[in-house]
Amino acid sequence: MKHILVVEDDANIRDVTYAFLVDEGYQVTASENGMEAFGFFENQTFDLIIMDIMMPKMDGYTLCELIRTKSDTPILMLTALGEEDSELKGFELGADDYIQKPFSYKVLIKRVEALLRRVPAKQESPHLLQVSDIVLNTETFQVTARNLPVELTRKEFDILRLLMQNPGRVFTREMLLEQAWDYEYIVDTKIINTHIKNLRKKLATDKIQTVRGAGYKMDY
């Protein structure tokens, strides 16, 4: 599933764009300003970014320029009708395409499809793991859920990383204890129950499932 970041301060345009893209089968993260969007960009992997130019806190030009220092993720800019200078500046900063407001959402979808076809498939960042709205960075040890940072203990992080690296695989409590703690012998497997309970609460997720009589797994 392709992941698209939509950055638009107009709530109506943002919500309708979100709905249309989701209906087309895309995973969508929406943001109301450039600063928030750049935070999402640094913690998640996106296949395409749709951004407005005039936004609070950080405008589209600045956001585009910052993204281009780190990534060549396709960028589709939204511009007001007849703002040729804005479009030219966007291209100079690295935007891949633009669409003028007001626009047809059918046309927007076609532009999105064309951009995703045009750009070669990118290799996933090996240090980023994502299941649903949970994102784990193995290099920075940062975890986000629903685009919000989540504070985990080191053991909670290690358990979550193991589950996210192997979605669908069932781990017994003994396996989790041995791999997360590096124990050569079993002490008390009940400690795993506590850590799983804490993870579910902190992440507010049902993706960590109990397999009766076996152990735990991370659902897709």
Side-chain angles (χ1 to χ4, degrees):
M1 181 182 294
K2 299 294 185 180
H3 193 182
I4 298 176
L5 173 61
V6 175
V7 195
E8 169 61 66
D9 64 319
D10 185 306
N12 183 58
I13 295 176
R14 184 175 64 249
D15 293 346
V16 175
T17 301
Y18 179 97
F20 266 87
L21 291 170
V22 169
D23 285 346
E24 291 295 319
Y26 297 107
Q27 179 184 354
V28 184
T29 296
S31 174
E32 64 182 6
N33 65 72
M35 189 174 295
E36 179 186 58
F38 189 65
F40 292 163
F41 168 78
E42 288 193 304
N43 288 285
Q44 300 185 48
T45 300
F46 296 100
D47 298 285
L48 175 67
I49 301 171
I50 301 173
M51 68 172 71
D52 190 17
I53 293 178
M54 302 307 296
M55 297 183 293
K57 298 186 179 181
M58 181 189 294
D59 63 32
Y61 295 134
T62 305
L63 178 59
C64 180
E65 193 169 15
L66 283 173
I67 289 173
R68 280 293 170 261
T69 65
K70 298 174 176 289
S71 170
D72 60 353
T73 302
I75 294 174
L76 173 61
M77 278 192 154
L78 306 178
T79 67
L81 183 62
E83 290 187 352
E84 183 177 346
D85 291 342
S86 298
E87 295 158 7
L88 292 175
K89 185 174 181 179
F91 283 131
E92 290 172 358
L93 293 174
D96 296 273
D97 200 358
Y98 71 90
I99 188 168
Q100 294 180 338
K101 298 179 182 178
F103 53 82
S104 159
Y105 281 96
K106 290 183 178 180
V107 172
L108 176 66
I109 295 300
K110 292 301 181 183
R111 293 287 186 90
V112 167
E113 292 173 350
L115 272 177
L116 292 174
R117 284 197 306 267
R118 188 187 313 167
V119 180
K122 299 178 184 176
Q123 188 174 14
E124 292 284 344
S125 299
H127 61 281
L128 288 179
L129 302 174
Q130 182 167 3
V131 173
S132 186
D133 60 7
I134 303 169
V135 180
L136 182 149
N137 190 316
T138 60
E139 290 186 348
T140 64
F141 294 94
Q142 293 177 321
V143 176
T144 61
R146 305 172 310 285
N147 299 317
L148 298 174
V150 178
E151 295 294 330
L152 300 180
T153 67
R154 182 54 191 267
K155 293 308 179 186
E156 290 167 353
F157 180 89
D158 289 342
I159 292 171
L160 180 62
R161 175 173 57 184
L162 184 62
L163 293 172
M164 291 182 68
Q165 286 174 332
N166 302 273
R169 178 182 174 184
V170 178
F171 287 89
T172 65
R173 293 171 179 81
E174 290 79 6
M175 292 166 65
L176 290 173
L177 188 63
E178 181 178 351
Q179 295 195 45
W181 271 258
D182 197 25
Y183 285 172
E184 296 181 356
Y185 58 95
I186 303 304
V187 180
D188 185 356
T189 60
K190 291 182 180 179
I191 194 172
I192 295 296
N193 300 1
T194 300
H195 284 294
I196 292 293
K197 181 180 178 181
N198 290 341
L199 280 171
R200 286 170 172 162
K201 182 177 180 180
K202 290 181 178 182
L203 298 169
T205 185
D206 59 359
K207 290 295 181 180
I208 302 177
Q209 296 188 346
T210 300
V211 180
R212 187 178 297 275
Y216 301 100
K217 70 174 182 177
M218 176 66 76
D219 195 17
Y220 291 95

